[in-house]
Each structure stands twice: as C-alpha cells, then as structure tokens.
Amino acid sequence: MKNLQDTIREIAAQSLARGEVELVIGWEKGDLWWQSYPAFIEEEKEADRLIWDPLCVPNLSRYLLQELSEMDEKKIALFVKGCDALAFNQLLQDNRTVRERVVLYGIPCDGLVDPSKLEREGLDRDLQEVERDGEELVLKAAAGEEKRVPAKDYLYDKCLTCRYPNPVAYDQMLGETVPVEPEERFTGVRKLEELDYEDRFSYWAEQFSRCIRCFACRNVCPACSCIKCVFDLQEPRWLGKATEPSENAFYHIIRAYHVAGRCVDCGECSRVCPVDIPLQELNRKIILDINELYGEYDAGVDPEQEAPLITYKTDDPAAFTES
Amino acid sequence: MSVAREEHNFEPLIVAFCCNWCSYAGGDLAGTSRMSYPPNARVIRVPCSSRVSPNFILRAFQRGADGVLVAGCHPGDCHYITGNYHARRRLSILRRFLGFMGVEPERFEVHWISASEGGKFAEVMTEMPEKIRALGPNRKLRDAR
Amino acid sequence: MRRIGVFICWCGANIAGTVDIEKVVEESKKIPGVAYAGEYRYMCSEIGQDMIRDTIIEQNLDRVVVAACSPRMHEPTFRRAAESAGLNPYLVQMANIREHCSWVHKDEEEATRKAVALVRTAVAKASRSVELFSQEIPVERRALVLGGGIAGIQAALDIADAGYEVDLVEKSPTIGGRMAQLDKTFPTLDCSACILTPKMVDASSHPNINLFTWSEVEQVEGYVGNFTVTIRKKARFVDEEKCTGCGDCFEKCPSKVDSEFDEGLVQRKAIYVPFPQAVPNVPVIDKENCRWFVKEKCRVCEKVCEAEAVDLEQEDELLEKRYGAVVVATGFDVLGLEEFGEFNYGKHPDIITSLEFERLVNASGPTGGKLLRPSNQEPPRNVVFVQCVGSRDKSRGKPYCSKICCMYTAKHTVLLKEKYPQSQAYVFYIDVRTGGKDFEEFHRRAVEENDAIYLRGQVGKVFPEGDKLLVEGVDSLSGKTVQIEADMVVLAAAMVPRTDAPEIARLLTLGTDAHSFFTEAHPKLRPVETHSAGVFLAGACQGPKDIPEAVAQASGSASKALGILSKETLLSDPCVSKVDESLCTGCLMCIDVCPYHAITEKTIEEKVHGEVVKRVVAEVNEAVCQGCGACSVACRPGAMNVKGFSNEQILAEVDAVCL
C-alpha cells in the first residue's frame, strides 16, 4: 500500500502536470524535526518537497486569502485535514474563498504531535523524525535509533477533543476515514466557571498580562479574515496601542466576540500564542453558550447554514435578569 | 465632574444605551410624569438596541463605568421590526462572556422598556445603581491609567 | 479647533427650577471646543431660535448643542434654526436636561452635575458630527392597494378621485370582501349589499382604477416612492373581454364544491362567479376541482360558451408594476373552531358561525333570505348566540376582543325577531361592549324591544338531542346552570388576520403582532402608517374593526399615500448606514441582519500592488435603509457605519459621559 505522503506527492505532480491547478499548497519539512511548514508548489518537479507527518499542523486554508487574491481566476489545490476543511468552509461562508477555484484533497487526521509534550519528557533529544504507526509514535533519532511511545500522550490537546478529524469538505478524500472519539471539549470552560467572579477575573488578568499584542492569534485564525482589522484602524481608534491590561482584555474579548458563531474550534489561536494564553477557552465559552441558548451549531460544517449571531428566533431565550 | 468615586461614599456611574423609539421615549415619559430616580445613569441615545456594539460597552467599562445598561423595545415591538431580536442574541452571549471574564452580571444589564413604560424606566434606573452600589466600584476592564 | 456653541434652555422653571443654569453655562465654557455658551428662558420660542441663528453667525459657530428638552420633542426645531443660519442641520445635537434630568431629579446639585455631564456628552457627539445631506428620490406617482374589501375599495376610490392611478389587487375572483357576505349592517340596519355594490361598480368603472382580481402579489422590491411589485394574475380560463356574463357555463358545469362565499352552506360549481353582483362579473375556473384539470375529461363549459370566452389554455401572467405608495387592506378570517369541542361545531348543521348566520339571513344567501335551520329547512324558534368564542380567551383562542361581535349579535337578534316574531334569542356573553355611535341604543333595542335574553356566562356544552340542540351554560349573575333547548346555535368566532398575513408581512417588511395583525407605526399617533415608509394599513388586517372604522382608516391611508404621490420627489433621511468600501471584507453578514433588504452586494475594482483586482463589497440603498444600525454591529471591521449615530460619535459620547 502506498503511504499518504507518496499519494500527496503524486497528486500534486499530476494536477500541476495536467494544468488542473497552478498552485499546490501542502506541507514541507523545515530544518528541524518539528518544523512542518506550508509549502507552495508551482512546478511538477517540486512536488517531492511535499511531506505528510504528524507535525503537519499549520492550517493551510488561510493561505488561500493571499493566494486567491493574487492569482486572479487561477486554480489552487489544497490539502485539508479535518480542522482545515472546517476552516475552508468558514472562509467560504465569509465570502473569502471561491469553491470553484480550489481543489480540496481531504486528509483524515488521527491527531498531530505537540512538540512541547515530547520536549517536556526529554524525548526531543537527537530527534530527527516522527512517524505515526497506529496507536504509537515512532521517534527516530540521528543514530538510527528508534523509540516507540503511545501517540495519544503526545498529541495536541485540541486534537484529543477534535470532533471532525475527517474533512467535511473535499473533492477527493485521500486515505481511510479515522474513527471519531473526541474527549469532552468544554472541560476547561466548566472548570473556570467553578471559580467566583473575582478569581475568574484574576485568572484572565494574569493570562492577558502576558499578551504582547503580537496578533498571532488573529493572523492564524480562519474566522479572522478581514482585509483590514478593526484594531488596526486609526480612526476611530477602537483600541489603544499600549499593552495596558484593559486594552489587552478589550482586544481578546472583542476578538473572541468577532468570531462568535464563526469559530470552527480549530484551536490554532492557542497553539500559536507565544505566551501560552489559553485562547481557545474564550472561544469555547462562546460556543457553549450559543449551543445552550440558540441550539447546537458547528461553524464550518455547513457553509449554507445561517450563523447563529446573524439570525434569530422570535422566542429566543435571553441571558439577562429580565428575560 | 464625575460622580463621587470614593469607596466609602460610592455612587456608581452607569452608561445607559437607550433606543430612540422605545426606551429613550420611556425615559421621556418618566420625565413628563415627574417620576423620580437617582442620577447615576447617563443616557446615550441610539436608534436601536441592535446599534449597540459590544465595543461601546467595553469602552464604557474601560473608561470607568461601574455598570452598563442597554435598553430597547420589547421583543416583537422593535421599531425596526427585528433589531432587538438580534440584540437579544448578541448581548446575551456578551453578558455571559463578560461573566466568564469575571465581570459580575449585575454590571451589564439589558432591559426591554417600551415608550409607555415610564414607570419601568424609573424602576430600572433606581434598581441598577442599588445593585452596583452593593458590588462597589468596578475596577475590572478599567483603564488604570 | 471646533467652534461649538452651547445653548442652555431654562424651559421656564421646568429646567431652571432644579438645574443651576448659570453653573451649567460656566462649566460648558470650560469644555474643549466650546466657543460660546449662553442661556435663555425658552430656547424653542421665536426669540430663542433667533438667538441661536444670530449667535451662530456672530460667533462663527461650526457646531451647536442645545441643552433643553428631549430631542424627540424639539430636535427638528433647533435643526431648522441652525439651518436658517446656514449651518448644516445635522451639526446640531441636543442634551436632554429636562425629561432625563430636571424633571426626574430633586437635588439641585446632583441634577446640575448630571446636566453638565449631558452637555459634555452632547458636545463630544457634536464635535464628531459631520454635514449630512438628504437625497432626492423621484416618486412613481401610482398606488397599489392590496385587498378588494370595503377598506381597499375606499382607499382606491379616494386615491383615484384625487387624480392618481391605482391598481387594486384582489386574491379572490371578485372585489367586495367580507362586507359582500353580510346582510344588514349595525346599528342602522342598512342593507350591506345596497351600500357596497355601488362602490364596487365605482371602483371597476373608475378611469383611474385598474382591477386585478384573482391576482396576488408575488414580490415587492424598492422603497417609498419607488416600489417594484410583481403581480401574479392567475389564469381565469375565461377571457374577460369576450365573456358576456350569461352564466351558461356554470349552469352546465358538472363539478360541485363548497361555496366559499356562502361559507360552505351550499355548493358552487368548478367554474363560478362567487355571487351575482360580483365585480367583475366574469366566471373563473377553480383548477383544483375542475374535471378537465383533474381528469382531463369534460370541457363542457367551453362547449356551451357561445361567446367562446372559455380558454382552458390560459396561463398565469406575471406583471411587473411600479408604485410610489402601497395600501394594505387584506382583511380578516374567522377563527377555526377545532379547539372548541364543547360547541360541536361542524358536527351538526344547526351549529353555525355568525358569518354563516349572515348568509342564512341574506336575501342573496342559500335560502333566499328565509332564515331556516340547515338541518331540516324549518324556521328556528329558539336561537342561542354565544359571544367571545375564541376572543378574550388566552388559553385556547385569542386574548383580544374581536370588537364587532357584541354589535352584530345584537343585530342578529333583531333580524331574527323581524323574521319570526314568535322566536326567542338567547345571548351568552362575558361583557357587552357597545362603544360607538348609536351602539348602546341599538343594543338596548335588541334587549328591550326584541326581548333578547342576555345571559352573562359561558356555555359549557352544546349537543344534539332529538331534532333540537341542548345548550348548557351558566348564568353567572344568578349562579344558576341554564339549559336551553335550541333550534340553532350561533357562535361569534374570533376575528383573525388572513392566513397569508405573515407572507404579506414578509413581502412588504411589515411588523406583525403575536396574532399576525399588521403593526402600525405608532398605536396612537401613526395609526395608518407602518414601519415600512410608503406602506399604509387599512381595515381589519391591522386589528378587529367594524365597517366605518375600516372605511375611515382607508381614507386615512389614502390621504397618507396621496401625501407621497402628490410630490414629484421625496427627501430621504440621511441618518442611514453607509459602507466604507476600503474596509469592507465582503462577508455580507450585513445583508442577513438587515430587516429592509436595503443592502446588496456589488463588485468593485481596485488596484493592489499595481494590479487591478475585483472584489465584492456591500452597498446600502440609502432610500430603503431606515438607519437601525443592526448591520454596523454585525460588521467586524467597522466598514458599516450609521450616519448621525456613527461609531466615532458614540465612542466620543462614551468617553465624555464617563469623564
């Protein structure tokens, strides 16, 4: 049986050769074992740069924003994991991508490796390559040594709670679908809700105090696809430039609010935060409330479904003292 | 000229966004009926509760408001047909979210006040400061500079 | 630096009694940007307005704040004053220091402090105000009237008489509506048909009125002054030009169905004219029940028609028409009585609704005006009338009062007695409501001259016994259970809007109440207008009402419509949304939240890095937008803004109010 990586390379080469697409977006290896980066392949002979390994976490859908606007009317092939497909659908719902111009190759994903979990246990020493073999990870060191560890212990937390590992949108699915066995995703939110208001505030004040306003959370987010962000406006000046606590809180609250009903819960915001603010919990709190008050809704699953915050029912419940 | 802000003699400052057609008119009726309520709340007139952006609400807290009120027409009676239905969803989500951030829910309220409910307007304007007085001044989300 | 003028009104003692005006003037002068602060006893007076005008000129003011009463009261006044000094009227802001301050606060110090804060907030808003300009909208000087009942006919006649063209669209094959079904009208006992049919004929022969019967509105686009409406003219299968109205076709038609006009008491044919005085007097084929359309056999009507008017190949026509104003007069239905099992309605032919009773006493009705029991065609002796069937009934029916039942029931008792002096009417009621000219007198006549027995209480059960009906009820005044052996039971079922009212509301973006009655713009002061500019209401589609009220409202609507049609152009309110295309991402969520369909998408071309790229942005039709601002909050990048209530203005107000 061919492995997935070979299939990916083959498909990329073929579709470029046949002129079906002008660009293929996939992943390629960086210099270090944990670096699986977006790759932009325009020529058939470059297709062998493409890889698939358990570190291919970057969401490729967002790169369409740039590429589609540059390549007027040209077609692009894109490899999508479950979360990437949700992201793609969200971009579609936001009119930020064009379905006809994108060929989606779906990759069922059984979870990706969180390098920090390996580092924490010192498993990154001399590491050169990580492979997935069923329920195990194969850690290959420089000297050809191999070590096997249970995969589940080293996957991203967000992957453990993933509800859509199999892409919901694709033109062609590559590989077998994987079983869907998510852990409860609202545990973190519920834990925070056990705190009283003072402690909740202190918790978030401490988290936000670390924010350096690098905007990585915004830049990676498939729901933050505005051409010009409201926070970058000079006039009106919604948000001060200082990393003052209230400004930081303002930024994170409004950012979460802006993706309310549109967040696909891919968890990329938390992953890319250089100061480890658990941003996904903010989004999940809003998802939980929307589900509770206005009915279950999974952003990105069906781009035709109306997002919960742009519609209403006349008998909607309210969360005010007066209902 | 702000309301006295000393802890021991604390008078909360409340920013009230009132829709022009119902709640602001309800406030006018409270006035013409010579009802009496404390001066803690200051009204900003907006066309509709659906005009109230969470940004405005957060900005008020940032600038020192101890409480924020959004008041609109009763659901079903919106001057703009559906505005308050949108506001109800948006602001319900925001209110719970602010609670998650540690802001006491009493500090952010939404009330439906019709143009004929001068009494209710006065009641809300009386009760909200009382509840917030008990909580003390708001420091959360407030610009400390 | 702005040059803002602040004008503080005493409103006699209304403001000055609680607010220290001098102090407010003094503090206002300290606000950055304020170039002038002054006061006067009555700012709204001519002298006050002159003072504003003169000061703007003398002090070279570029923004104005008037601290006085509610802007809902005098904003237009002060805008005009500023305009007279050459200042754009939208550069005026008001601080409401009366209704929201001096009238509700007792302590002078507190009230004064708040007044200063309100002035400061208004100054902040004013300083962020920009000049706004109304647009001139050309008016299509024709009107659409929806519904051909008495309200629609009246509205159409009034508009047509004033010299404007009207299209009157009616869903059923004839105009006339509910009033055509009635026998006599209360409290004068005028013959309904005698006063209605001339109006129907007037409407059909009026040179300015085009009748579209058997037609429905399918789509409405546009806005006040410029509605584009698609009308579906359903195939009648009879050529209106050729038909002579001889009636041979329905004489010979073999298919029979219940007559809608006669409330199902008799049958009509599949090709039919609802009633002899129908306008137009042209039959229509009911496709669902015609043998040709169901079984592809028959065509008898075609064969017998000497005028060769029957055209079974006819198809629906879609007409696109333009109007400046619309009057909605879609009328009412009678509540279905499925929930009211105790009355056994539908289970026995002598248990009928009041509307069926109207048909039974009507000379053009199934019995030729002889009031006979449907079960055995015998004259009734005891007739029990039950009021409030489904009205004033929160649990099973409607909470509201249907308003006309008390009076038409009194009329029914009088008509009964007129026909059969030996008969006896019993009326079960909750309250008798006779508010209206000569109504109480008429009711007394029913009770005193016609010996109708009024029983205050409710009916628990109606059931057949032998060839009679037994009515069990409670007379709550005596506390006794009453049992009446009746020949006929007449149920005053609640008035409800037509079943397609929600669809009409959607087409015209009208508001409805919980029962689907259309909502007027203001219950007291704008009773015929709706929240959709240029759309007006007439008759029972807005709420239960009797004929004179429906007619009065129709004339009111007509005059409102004429207010639009008599102008060549309208001025739009500039306080509406606008898009900053450079910020718009094209997500178009604004379209979803707009209640007026005022937002559309458009493709723009712009240069990015020297290359021309196309992208989609939102576009606001300023004539349709009402300025609610729902879109501005749905817009994440802040591309959508509301003029007069802009992001910049509201943020400035928040900042100032918190100082």
Side-chain angles (χ1 to χ4, degrees):
Chain A
M1 196 186 86
K2 255 187 303 192
N3 72 26
L4 196 50
Q5 180 168 295
D6 293 339
T7 313
I8 286 171
R9 288 177 178 176
E10 206 169 284
I11 280 175
Q14 271 174 12
S15 36
L16 286 167
R18 290 185 195 140
E20 289 161 2
V21 297
E22 273 89 330
L23 175 70
V24 175
I25 310 179
W27 299 270
E28 66 184 329
K29 214 56 206 168
D31 293 331
L32 299 168
W33 64 269
W34 51 269
Q35 293 173 328
S36 293
Y37 287 155
F40 301 85
I41 310 290
E42 283 173 301
E43 285 176 53
E44 188 193 342
K45 61 178 193 296
E46 299 284 312
D48 283 351
R49 268 165 54 200
L50 293 172
I51 57 115
W52 170 253
D53 72 7
L55 291 146
C56 289
V57 63
N59 182 340
L60 303 180
S61 297
R62 234 198 101 109
Y63 292 94
L64 289 172
L65 290 178
Q66 183 64 27
E67 300 300 333
L68 284 174
S69 74
E70 280 179 3
M71 302 176 46
D72 213 5
E73 305 310 316
K74 291 179 188 169
K75 283 183 98 172
I76 298 175
L78 185 76
F79 294 97
V80 286
K81 308 183 296 287
C83 50
D84 304 355
L86 294 171
F88 178 83
N89 273 346
Q90 188 55 43
L91 291 169
L92 202 58
Q93 189 173 45
D94 293 339
N95 277 333
R96 298 292 278 133
T97 186
V98 186
R99 186 67 187 88
E100 298 72 37
R101 289 181 56 198
V102 182
V103 182
L104 292 178
Y105 293 104
I107 299 178
C109 167
D110 47 10
L112 298 164
V113 168
D114 182 347
S116 67
K117 287 191 181 176
L118 289 172
E119 281 162 16
R120 211 175 299 151
E121 293 181 20
L123 292 167
D124 60 321
R125 230 165 290 143
D126 296 330
L127 193 58
Q128 282 227 303
E129 210 183 332
V130 182
E131 256 179 34
R132 180 76 183 253
D133 184 13
E135 295 303 306
E136 289 180 327
L137 289 180
V138 186
L139 308 177
K140 296 183 177 173
E145 289 166 39
E146 271 193 21
K147 191 167 186 177
R148 285 177 172 265
V149 292
K152 210 175 162 229
D153 296 351
Y154 302 95
L155 298 183
Y156 279 108
D157 289 346
K158 66 169 191 163
C159 295
L160 298 175
T161 55
C162 177
R163 297 154 67 249
Y164 294 95
N166 298 301
V168 293
Y170 55 87
D171 293 296
Q172 190 187 328
M173 186 76 101
L174 314 178
E176 299 290 314
T177 54
V178 296
V180 186
E181 295 159 333
E183 291 176 11
E184 167 58 40
R185 61 175 169 156
F186 296 121
T187 315
V189 172
R190 294 220 162 88
K191 215 165 173 180
L192 282 167
E193 284 184 322
E194 285 167 14
L195 303 176
D196 65 18
Y197 291 111
E198 292 308 312
D199 289 347
R200 287 183 205 178
F201 183 74
S202 310
Y203 173 82
W204 288 111
E206 196 280 313
Q207 298 292 342
F208 294 153
S209 71
R210 297 199 303 275
C211 175
I212 53 171
R213 219 81 76 68
C214 68
F215 293 123
C217 47
R218 174 184 84 185
N219 297 343
V220 79
C221 177
C224 269
S225 58
C226 290
I227 294 170
K228 185 148 185 154
C229 176
V230 71
F231 295 122
D232 294 340
L233 289 188
Q234 295 299 325
E235 174 64 30
R237 183 94 234 165
W238 295 96
L239 181 66
K241 281 190 166 158
T243 50
E244 196 270 341
S246 86
E247 305 273 26
N248 283 354
F250 191 114
Y251 166 71
H252 287 292
I253 293 171
I254 294 300
R255 205 196 79 79
Y257 194 84
H258 274 188
V259 301
R262 302 169 51 257
C263 168
V264 301
D265 201 17
C266 68
E268 285 288 272
C269 44
S270 283
R271 181 181 72 85
V272 298
C273 180
V275 293
D276 293 327
I277 303 174
L279 295 164
Q280 194 174 12
E281 304 299 348
L282 298 179
N283 301 325
R284 282 181 163 171
K285 165 62 182 163
I286 293 181
I287 293 172
L288 179 66
D289 285 340
I290 287 176
N291 287 353
E292 258 180 42
L293 289 167
Y294 306 119
E296 294 279 329
Y297 179 82
D298 281 329
V301 172
D302 174 9
E304 296 301 313
Q305 201 183 345
E306 247 183 350
L309 286 195
I310 54 165
T311 185
Y312 64 87
K313 289 202 181 84
T314 54
D315 58 351
D316 272 339
F320 317 130
T321 305
E322 174 190 350
S323 58
Chain B
M1 286 308 295
S2 80
V3 177
R5 302 197 56 87
E6 303 83 58
E7 189 94 34
H8 57 278
N9 188 21
F10 166 63
E11 277 303 329
L13 169 68
I14 294 165
V15 177
F17 296 94
C18 292
C19 84
N20 180 53
W21 305 97
C22 288
S23 306
Y24 194 92
D28 283 355
L29 181 61
T32 43
S33 319
R34 308 298 198 277
M35 289 167 181
S36 176
Y37 57 83
N40 302 72
R42 280 127 195 216
V43 172
I44 293 177
R45 186 167 66 113
V46 288
C48 176
S49 52
S50 69
R51 175 69 187 94
V52 183
S53 160
N55 299 17
F56 300 149
I57 294 160
L58 285 186
R59 178 77 148 230
F61 282 124
Q62 218 184 355
R63 292 289 187 265
D66 300 296
V68 175
L69 167 71
V70 176
C73 309
H74 285 267
D77 291 342
C78 179
H79 176 79
Y80 301 103
I81 308 167
T82 58
N84 53 7
Y85 290 136
H86 289 293
R88 182 167 60 187
R89 281 201 175 192
R90 291 168 178 171
L91 300 177
S92 288
I93 295 299
L94 181 71
R95 187 163 188 262
R96 286 202 174 180
F97 194 55
L98 288 178
F100 188 64
M101 296 281 94
V103 179
E104 301 88 342
E106 291 85 353
R107 294 195 189 274
F108 173 50
E109 274 293 5
V110 176
H111 284 285
W112 312 122
I113 304 172
S114 81
S116 60
E117 292 177 319
K120 185 171 178 189
F121 186 91
E123 210 172 279
V124 169
M125 290 295 172
T126 308
E127 281 174 6
M128 198 164 164
E130 268 170 31
K131 285 186 186 167
I132 293 176
R133 206 172 285 122
L135 292 173
N138 184 43
R139 296 205 167 75
K140 297 165 185 172
L141 307 181
R142 190 171 162 200
D143 194 329
R145 289 169 296 184
Chain C
M1 193 65 168
R2 298 254 185 259
R3 290 192 60 79
I4 303 171
V6 179
F7 299 86
I8 296 139
C9 179
W10 294 43
C11 195
N14 282 312
I15 295 172
T18 326
V19 171
D20 179 347
I21 301 283
E22 271 310 308
K23 174 95 176 158
V24 180
V25 173
E26 210 179 290
E27 291 297 328
S28 298
K29 285 180 177 163
K30 296 180 192 163
I31 303 170
V34 172
Y36 168 90
E39 37 75 30
Y40 185 66
R41 279 180 181 277
Y42 290 101
M43 259 324 158
C44 62
S45 69
E46 210 175 319
I47 304 173
Q49 292 186 53
D50 288 351
M51 173 184 165
I52 292 173
R53 184 194 61 210
D54 297 344
T55 315
I56 291 171
I57 296 164
E58 280 160 23
Q59 297 281 333
N60 195 23
L61 301 176
D62 62 5
R63 301 286 188 281
V64 166
V65 166
V66 185
C69 52
S70 171
R72 292 172 54 84
M73 182 94 185
H74 270 312
E75 194 172 57
T77 313
F78 296 121
R79 280 180 174 171
R80 274 196 302 272
E83 205 171 12
S84 69
L87 201 64
N88 183 288
Y90 297 93
L91 300 177
V92 176
Q93 297 299 336
M94 287 189 73
N96 183 348
I97 61 169
R98 192 178 75 172
E99 284 87 342
H100 284 207
C101 188
S102 69
W103 275 351
V104 287
H105 306 316
K106 301 226 160 62
D107 182 276
E108 183 172 312
E109 202 189 319
E110 282 183 341
T112 305
R113 198 174 344 174
K114 180 165 164 184
V116 171
L118 294 176
V119 169
R120 190 176 56 227
T121 307
V123 167
K125 184 174 186 187
S127 68
R128 297 304 187 103
S129 297
V130 294
E131 294 192 332
L132 300 177
F133 301 94
S134 299
Q135 282 186 334
E136 281 205 353
I137 314 166
V139 174
E140 182 71 34
R141 302 171 83 176
R142 304 173 74 254
L144 168 68
V145 175
L146 264 185
I150 183 58
I153 291 172
Q154 184 65 45
L157 284 171
D158 286 356
I159 296 168
D161 282 344
Y164 296 94
E165 211 183 315
V166 185
D167 288 352
L168 177 57
V169 173
E170 164 60 45
K171 186 170 66 171
S172 74
T174 172
I175 58 170
R178 291 292 179 199
M179 192 176 166
Q181 292 179 281
L182 308 183
D183 181 39
K184 303 286 192 297
T185 57
F186 62 77
T188 50
L189 296 184
D190 288 275
C191 154
S192 185
C194 312
I195 55 178
L196 174 68
T197 43
K199 288 229 172 220
M200 291 163 64
V201 174
D202 284 354
S204 86
S205 58
H206 201 296
N208 281 339
I209 298 180
N210 309 306
L211 279 191
F212 293 96
T213 54
W214 201 239
S215 300
E216 286 177 47
V217 165
E218 197 145 290
Q219 202 185 351
V220 180
E221 280 174 346
Y223 44 89
V224 56
N226 289 278
F227 294 103
T228 303
V229 177
T230 310
I231 297 167
R232 178 177 292 273
K233 200 169 179 295
K234 291 179 283 186
R236 218 178 174 102
F237 303 108
V238 177
D239 188 323
E240 290 180 57
E241 303 295 316
K242 289 184 186 162
C243 174
T244 60
C246 70
D248 284 350
C249 53
F250 50 83
E251 282 292 319
K252 300 281 162 28
C253 173
S255 308
K256 284 185 178 178
V257 275
D258 285 349
S259 157
E260 296 86 357
F261 183 76
D262 276 316
E263 292 296 311
L265 291 169
V266 284
Q267 294 199 305
R268 61 158 171 85
K269 299 295 181 60
I271 184 166
Y272 70 109
V273 174
F275 55 100
Q277 304 90 333
V279 171
N281 189 16
V282 177
V284 56
I285 293 179
D286 154 15
K287 230 174 140 178
E288 274 75 54
N289 294 298
C290 165
R291 285 197 188 183
W292 170 249
F293 287 105
V294 177
K295 295 180 185 157
E296 298 209 339
K297 273 182 210 155
C298 190
R299 295 185 91 122
V300 166
C301 49
E302 193 182 44
K303 282 169 212 147
V304 299
C305 182
E306 285 181 17
E308 295 185 351
V310 174
D311 175 8
L312 294 166
E313 316 307 319
Q314 212 178 60
E315 281 178 15
D316 289 7
E317 264 182 274
L318 288 179
L319 310 170
E320 200 179 276
K321 300 273 187 173
R322 288 174 43 78
Y323 306 102
V326 181
V327 175
V328 181
T330 49
F332 71 98
D333 264 325
V334 173
L335 179 71
L337 297 180
E338 302 79 17
E339 293 287 313
F340 301 84
E342 71 270 32
F343 297 120
N344 273 312
Y345 174 73
K347 307 251 168 71
H348 191 284
D350 296 337
I351 304 169
I352 60 176
T353 66
S354 300
L355 200 51
E356 289 165 33
F357 187 88
E358 288 287 344
R359 295 310 304 148
L360 286 182
V361 286
N362 196 308
S364 78
T367 50
K370 280 190 203 124
L371 174 59
L372 300 173
R373 299 177 66 191
S375 61
N376 57 10
Q377 303 300 311
E378 297 279 324
R381 192 182 155 81
N382 288 348
V383 179
V384 172
F385 294 89
V386 186
Q387 301 280 271
C388 297
V389 178
S391 301
R392 304 176 70 191
D393 180 348
K394 263 190 211 163
S395 54
R396 288 183 300 167
K398 303 290 176 185
Y400 53 81
C401 165
S402 291
K403 201 171 183 180
I404 59 170
C405 324
C406 287
M407 289 310 294
Y408 69 59
T409 299
K411 175 188 77 179
H412 288 168
T413 66
V414 172
L415 295 178
L416 173 68
K417 200 73 174 180
E418 228 173 51
K419 301 225 183 256
Y420 304 114
Q422 301 305 312
S423 67
Q424 179 60 55
Y426 298 88
V427 181
F428 281 93
Y429 70 101
I430 306 179
D431 296 292
V432 174
R433 296 180 166 179
T434 57
K437 197 173 174 182
D438 291 332
F439 284 11
E440 177 62 15
E441 295 91 320
F442 185 76
H443 166 64
R444 295 318 304 168
R445 180 175 153 194
V447 177
E448 286 157 15
E449 290 175 28
N450 292 284
D451 306 320
I453 296 174
Y454 271 69
L455 296 158
R456 191 175 200 279
Q458 281 173 315
V459 169
K461 210 174 170 190
V462 178
F463 55 97
E465 184 149 296
D467 71 336
K468 302 279 183 190
L469 295 165
L470 274 186
V471 179
E472 281 181 4
V474 184
D475 174 15
S476 66
L477 295 180
S478 66
K480 282 185 185 139
T481 318
V482 193
Q483 202 179 55
I484 299 164
E485 202 182 65
D487 299 299
M488 197 182 262
V489 173
V490 184
L491 306 172
M495 252 173 138
V496 294
R498 292 280 186 181
T499 45
D500 55 2
E503 175 61 11
I504 301 282
R506 190 190 62 76
L507 284 171
L508 289 160
T509 53
L510 302 179
T512 59
D513 66 12
H515 320 292
S516 296
F517 285 117
F518 302 131
T519 325
E520 62 283 3
H522 189 280
K524 291 165 194 73
L525 301 179
R526 297 171 71 196
V528 305
E529 291 150 275
T530 65
H531 290 313
S532 279
V535 182
F536 308 101
L537 301 176
C541 62
Q542 180 244 357
K545 46 178 68 71
D546 62 17
I547 295 167
E549 284 176 323
V551 170
Q553 200 188 14
S555 288
S557 274
S559 88
K560 284 285 171 191
L562 289 168
I564 293 169
L565 302 184
S566 59
K567 297 187 188 93
E568 281 182 13
T569 57
L570 293 173
L571 280 184
S572 69
D573 179 356
C575 294
V576 295
S577 290
K578 69 163 194 185
V579 187
D580 181 339
E581 289 176 0
S582 71
L583 299 180
C584 178
T585 297
C587 75
L588 304 177
M589 290 206 167
C590 46
I591 293 181
D592 292 292
V593 299
C594 177
Y596 302 100
H597 313 297
I599 308 173
T600 46
E601 60 175 284
K602 75 165 179 185
T603 305
I604 57 164
E605 288 185 357
E606 61 179 11
K607 269 199 165 168
V608 180
H609 310 306
E611 259 182 82
V612 178
V613 295
K614 282 184 190 169
R615 64 185 182 93
V616 167
V617 294
E619 184 177 35
V620 177
N621 184 333
E622 294 205 4
V624 185
C625 176
Q626 303 285 310
C628 66
C631 55
S632 66
V633 179
C635 181
R636 301 179 299 281
M640 199 60 97
N641 212 341
V642 184
K643 293 188 280 183
F645 292 96
S646 68
N647 291 331
E648 293 81 352
Q649 286 176 314
I650 298 175
L651 281 178
E653 285 179 277
V654 170
D655 289 355
V657 92
C658 291
L659 273 180

